[in-house]
């Protein structure tokens, strides 16, 4: 689908959709959960925040790095890890989990078929209340849903932990660079979009094995699992030592949904994502929203308190 044929929201409608939502939101979490350790925290945070989040589904996103042998393998491992986290939490009435794309998009007009894309479409069309799709991995599932059924743009908001800050010199970062076609579609399609930048915002969410141990280890099964991940997954990189810290990037996206005062944002005109993973700017394009800061203390105080409330 070309730029000129996407469904178009007028500026007033777009600005209304980009306003922080009052009350509880209908939400899908799209996550590459086995990629590293931050998705697990974000998934648990969403599940432990029913006062704001009505989590209707969780979808497994593809990824390809040292923890997978292909995008399909990454998606399958993520699917299993989603179920594992829910089991460790002993979630009652857990939301359904759907498998996502087995490969990346090759063009804006070729969606990758998956249960995840179909479910996003179904949920977007099933209510007059907008669907918030919080994406914390490669955005293939979400972009494929839009490419397959463009009219869902009228009834959804995408919240994406993907690019860096708009002023950062490059957007060549994992969640963006895995699937250029899907990433550029999200900016070009005109879907209401909230970006949680990695470098510049989420990068403030540093924590350490010592903090995780002090706050979570021994409190319950999930807390100890998180501690074990910190001590286990990074030892081969020589990073599990004094002075080392880890960013829990994906937590930022959940924090924005819970309280925009913790993650203040500004409205801008959507950039063009170039094939070389740089931005071009055009003031005639539609609006989007981008977070500009995050209160690391308030976010972690809320997250750790909720994780400690799980039964031991």
């Amino acid at each position: 689908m070309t730029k000129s044929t996407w469904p178009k929201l007028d500026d007033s409608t777009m600005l209304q959709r980009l306003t922080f939502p009052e009350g509880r939101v209908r939400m899908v979490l799209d996550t590459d959960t086995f990629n590293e350790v931050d998705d697990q925290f974000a998934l648990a945070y969403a599940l432990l925040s029913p006062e704001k989040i009505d989590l209707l589904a969780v979808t497994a996103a593809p990824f390809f790095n040292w923890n997978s042998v292909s995008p399909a393998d990454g998606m399958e491992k993520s699917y299993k890890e989603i179920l594992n986290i829910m089991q460790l939490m002993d979630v009652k009435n857990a939301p359904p989990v759907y498998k996502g794309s087995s490969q990346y998009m090759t063009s804006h007009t070729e969606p990758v078929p998956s249960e995840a894309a179909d479910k996003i479409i179904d949920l977007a069309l099933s209510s007059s209340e907008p669907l918030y799709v919080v994406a914390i991995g490669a955005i293939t599932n979400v972009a494929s849903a839009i490419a397959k059924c463009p009219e869902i743009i009228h009834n959804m908001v995408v919240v994406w932990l993907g690019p860096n800050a708009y002023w950062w010199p490059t957007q060549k970062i994992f969640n963006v660079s895995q699937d250029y076609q899907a990433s550029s579609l999200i900016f070009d399609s005109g879907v209401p979009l909230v970006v949680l930048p990695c470098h510049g915002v989420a990068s403030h969410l540093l924590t350490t094995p010592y903090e995780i141990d002090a706050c979570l280890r021994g409190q319950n099964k999930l807390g100890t699992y998180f501690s074990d991940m910190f001590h286990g997954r990074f030892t081969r990189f020589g990073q599990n030592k004094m002075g080392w810290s880890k960013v829990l990037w994906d937590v930022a996206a959940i924090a924005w949904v819970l309280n925009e005062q913790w993650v203040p944002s500004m409205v801008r005109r959507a950039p063009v994502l170039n094939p070389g993973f740089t931005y071009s700017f055009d003031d005639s394009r539609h609006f989007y929203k981008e977070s500009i800061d995050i209160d690391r203390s308030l976010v972690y105080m809320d997250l750790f308190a909720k994780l400690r409330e799980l039964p031991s």
Side-chain angles (χ1 to χ4, degrees):
M1 179 167 289
T2 65
K3 175 182 176 182
S4 61
T5 56
W6 291 111
K8 183 174 176 59
L9 278 66
D10 60 57
D11 282 353
S12 62
T13 302
M14 179 68 80
L15 291 171
Q16 188 277 326
R17 282 293 165 83
L18 294 175
T19 301
F20 182 74
E22 298 295 331
R24 205 160 176 244
V25 300
R26 303 171 65 243
M27 188 179 121
V28 171
L29 181 64
D30 186 64
T31 164
D32 57 348
T33 326
F34 198 78
N35 171 32
E36 47 161 311
V37 302
D38 51 341
D39 291 79
Q40 291 92 332
F41 280 85
L43 172 60
Y45 200 11
L47 289 165
L48 291 170
S49 302
E51 74 282 358
K52 183 68 178 182
I53 294 172
D54 181 12
L55 190 57
L56 302 176
V58 182
T59 53
F63 74 89
F64 180 34
N65 63 11
W66 56 85
N67 281 325
S68 68
V69 299
S70 68
D73 179 58
M75 183 276 294
E76 291 284 351
K77 287 176 175 175
S78 293
Y79 176 81
K80 293 176 182 177
E81 181 70 346
I82 293 165
L83 297 176
N84 179 46
I85 294 298
M86 290 181 175
Q87 183 177 24
L88 288 167
M89 294 177 68
D90 192 23
V91 177
K92 308 301 182 189
N93 301 314
V97 183
Y98 298 91
K99 292 186 178 183
S101 307
S102 60
Q103 62 188 56
Y104 301 128
M105 293 181 71
T106 57
S107 77
H108 286 188
T109 59
E110 297 182 67
V112 181
S114 70
E115 296 176 348
D118 288 344
K119 191 61 182 178
I120 290 168
I121 293 169
D122 289 345
L123 289 171
L125 298 177
S126 66
S127 172
S128 59
E129 294 296 317
L131 177 70
Y132 284 75
V133 181
V134 177
I136 53 177
I139 203 156
T140 312
N141 294 334
V142 185
S144 292
I146 294 170
K148 184 176 181 179
C149 184
E151 56 264 35
I152 63 174
I153 287 172
H154 292 289
N155 205 42
M156 68 187 298
V157 178
V158 176
V159 181
W160 187 24
L161 189 293
N164 295 319
Y166 68 90
W167 45 265
W168 204 261
T170 179
Q171 302 303 324
K172 192 171 178 59
I173 192 166
F174 193 65
N175 287 355
V176 177
S177 61
Q178 288 188 91
D179 191 338
Y180 169 74
Q181 294 295 333
S183 298
S184 61
L185 182 151
I186 292 298
F187 283 111
D188 290 347
S189 65
V191 66
L193 173 65
V194 179
V195 167
L196 281 299
C198 288
H199 291 296
V201 175
S203 51
H204 296 312
L205 289 179
L206 289 162
T207 187
T208 68
Y210 305 98
E211 182 176 40
I212 296 299
D213 285 353
C215 295
L216 301 179
R217 189 169 190 85
Q219 295 296 316
N220 45 59
K221 289 186 291 184
L222 187 66
T224 300
Y225 180 75
F226 283 165
S227 176
D228 287 344
M229 282 198 306
F230 259 73
H231 288 287
R233 288 209 179 177
F234 295 99
T235 52
R236 63 176 175 161
F237 299 108
Q239 294 167 310
N240 192 11
K241 60 180 67 173
M242 289 189 294
W244 175 76
S245 60
K246 175 74 183 77
V247 179
L248 297 184
W249 313 90
D250 296 328
V251 168
I254 307 303
W256 184 89
V257 175
L258 296 180
N259 191 330
E260 194 182 18
Q261 293 183 4
W262 300 345
V263 199
S265 307
M266 63 182 293
V267 172
R268 297 178 51 82
R269 294 289 183 177
V272 177
L273 180 65
N274 300 315
F277 298 103
T278 59
Y279 280 157
S280 296
F281 298 96
D282 179 351
D283 286 343
S284 69
R285 280 165 65 88
H286 55 274
F287 290 115
Y288 84 117
K289 199 170 199 177
E290 182 166 310
S291 295
I292 57 175
D293 196 11
I294 192 165
D295 191 319
R296 184 257 185 217
S297 296
L298 291 178
V299 172
Y300 275 144
M301 287 165 62
D302 187 56
L303 171 62
F304 290 156
K306 287 175 176 175
L307 288 170
R308 288 169 67 95
E309 289 174 0
L310 286 168
S312 57

